[in-house]
Amino acid sequence: MKKFFVAALATALLTSTALADTIKVGVIGPFSGPFALQGKNFQAGIQAYQALNGDSVGDHKVEIVYRDVPQADPAQSAALAQELVVKEGVQYLAGFYFTPDAMAAAPLLEQANVPMVIFNAATSAIVTKSPYVVRTSFTTWQTSAPMAKVAKAKGIEKVITVVSDYGPGVDSETAFKTTFEAEGGTVVESIRMPLSTNDFSPIMQRIKDSGAQAVFAFLPSGPTTLGFVKSYNENGLRDAGVTLLAPGDLTQESDLPALGDSALGLLTTFHYAVSHDSPENKAFVEAAGKALGNPAELSFPAVGAFDGMHVIYKMIEATGGKQDAKAAVDAVKGLAWMSPRGPVEIDPETRHITQNIYLREVAKADDGTYINKEIQTFEKQGDPGLAAAK
């Protein structure tokens, strides 16, 4: 199998060099199934970027080739990544909503001479799996650690953590616990749930029984986050005075109408809010909303894809369209620009994005829609989880 891959890869590389006037970008994500909205946001971010910046870099037309992984499936992700490189001749791999999918595809990059630009997957360790990985999303360390500081500043002393039991969840738990304890707080219990969990009532009872003043929670955005927040309200935790603290995955904008007034006042820390006030974001929201068809479905994976395309365009520009993964990645180390989310930079050492993290509160806008209103900024946040990943 490996010999076949090497031979097929050599043929694909010759073909891609000969046809470099069209440069293919392979995007892997959930375009069907329960997480399809996240994949739809990948597409919206890509389409918004090309609507605002064109579909060519110099003389090179950029073509997007999509592959669907409905739920986390490392074997399928690796197989599709190989197919994209060998059969489709892509020069860039991108997307990856789930960490296990990105981890599975990363070992192919060096042999294939292909960079990977992560639009979402949020475990710190991904960038350590290949020197050809660049991330334009966030990590759960990056978005969770500031919430620990917020909790302590609000006088909260005892917290229980509840996370999905996979890479980003463990990172989120560790980030919050490490930071909160360093601030003098106590984590009274840590619960890890299987990714498939959708009945949260027993978890809510354990939270009540713990005596904690607050619960810090992380689950991957999608049906489960909506279910968790609804269960928090329906099981009386909010009425009992137990504060819900989380990274922004739990209050993505597309879920807020379903949560309604019960979400008002919920606090999260995150790298992006659709309501962010800047000219760059206004242009992005308009273009991405048009691509989606329903602007109410716009959520954070779209901005990861939008900025990911910016990085890929810069890579193509720097390499003149030639397939050279090392030169492409080297060209964007230290790259800085004004994103729809605010000022960002690709750290030249880690290849992870440095960005502002915002404390947000769910509120009602003047037009009656629900938004994540930014109320505090933690500037120029790198990834504190990389030290833990090494």
Side-chain angles (χ1 to χ4, degrees), residues 259-283:
L259 293 171
D261 285 356
S262 65
L264 292 174
L266 290 180
L267 296 175
T268 57
T269 43
F270 218 39
H271 62 297
Y272 177 67
V274 174
S275 62
H276 181 73
D277 186 14
S278 74
E280 292 82 9
N281 192 47
K282 285 182 172 65

Side-chain angles (χ1 to χ4, degrees), residues 249-265:
D249 308 78
L250 269 73
T251 61
Q252 66 171 342
E253 281 81 0
S254 53
D255 284 347
L256 294 180
L259 293 171
D261 285 356
S262 65
L264 292 174

Side-chain angles (χ1 to χ4, degrees), residues 67 77 81 85 92 147 174 185 207 212 219 235 238 242 244 376 385:
R67 290 293 182 270
S77 178
V85 170
Y92 297 88
M147 183 51 83
T174 306
I207 294 169
L219 304 88
N235 282 274
R238 184 167 189 160
V242 178
L244 175 59
Q376 184 180 344

Side-chain angles (χ1 to χ4, degrees), residues 69-105:
V69 181
Q71 301 188 65
D73 188 335
Q76 186 184 14
S77 178
L80 290 176
Q82 182 170 319
E83 177 195 314
L84 284 165
V85 170
V86 173
K87 292 186 178 179
E88 293 290 344
V90 303
Q91 289 184 225
Y92 297 88
L93 286 170
F96 299 99
Y97 187 71
F98 295 104
T99 284
D101 297 341
M103 291 284 206

